[in-house]
Amino acid sequence: METRIQRYRKYRAELIKEGSDVTLKEKPKMTTTALPIQEVIDMVEDDKKNFAFYRQQRNEKIFKYVLLVIFLIALIVGIIMFGIYAFRG
């Protein structure tokens, strides 16, 4: 039974052999897959700005709903007080 290491050695030998149509695909030495640090920092700052914007939007929506509920409660209390004074008789 052939081991993984032996298969790899045969594969490498075929690649090194002259006249072989199998070619090595090497990455250029100067490339990297990492993002530039400034781009990462900019993304973090954009995320913070977006988070602050959406938090402000949420707070405004909550404030509007609270004002609406307070207005409706005041309207209901006003109608009840009017009914008590109008039909007291």
Side-chain angles (χ1 to χ4, degrees):
M1 180 171 201
E2 192 174 42
T3 66
R4 179 179 55 89
I5 296 172
Q6 291 169 344
R7 284 191 307 244
Y8 182 72
R9 282 186 185 151
K10 283 182 184 179
Y11 170 73
R12 292 295 295 172
E14 287 178 13
L15 289 178
I16 294 172
K17 215 180 348 177
E18 286 186 43
S20 177
D21 39 333
V22 180
T23 58
L24 289 173
K25 294 181 181 177
E26 293 184 19
K27 287 175 48 175
K29 301 282 186 205
M30 300 304 288
T31 62
T32 180
T33 59
L35 293 174
I37 190 70
Q38 190 60 40
E39 187 175 335
V40 173
I41 291 171
D42 291 342
M43 287 172 53
V44 170
E45 289 175 0
D46 287 343
D47 287 344
K48 286 180 182 178
K49 288 177 184 177
N50 287 340
F51 182 72
F53 174 74
Y54 288 123
R55 185 187 315 159
Q56 180 183 4
Q57 292 288 349
R58 187 192 73 205
N59 289 344
E60 288 177 3
K61 185 186 281 187
I62 291 171
F63 183 70
K64 288 177 184 177
Y65 283 129
V66 167
L67 283 179
L68 179 66
V69 168
I70 289 173
F71 175 74
L72 290 175
I73 290 172
L75 183 66
I76 292 170
V77 168
I79 291 172
I80 292 172
M81 295 300 286
F82 176 75
I84 290 173
Y85 287 122
F87 301 109
R88 190 188 291 185

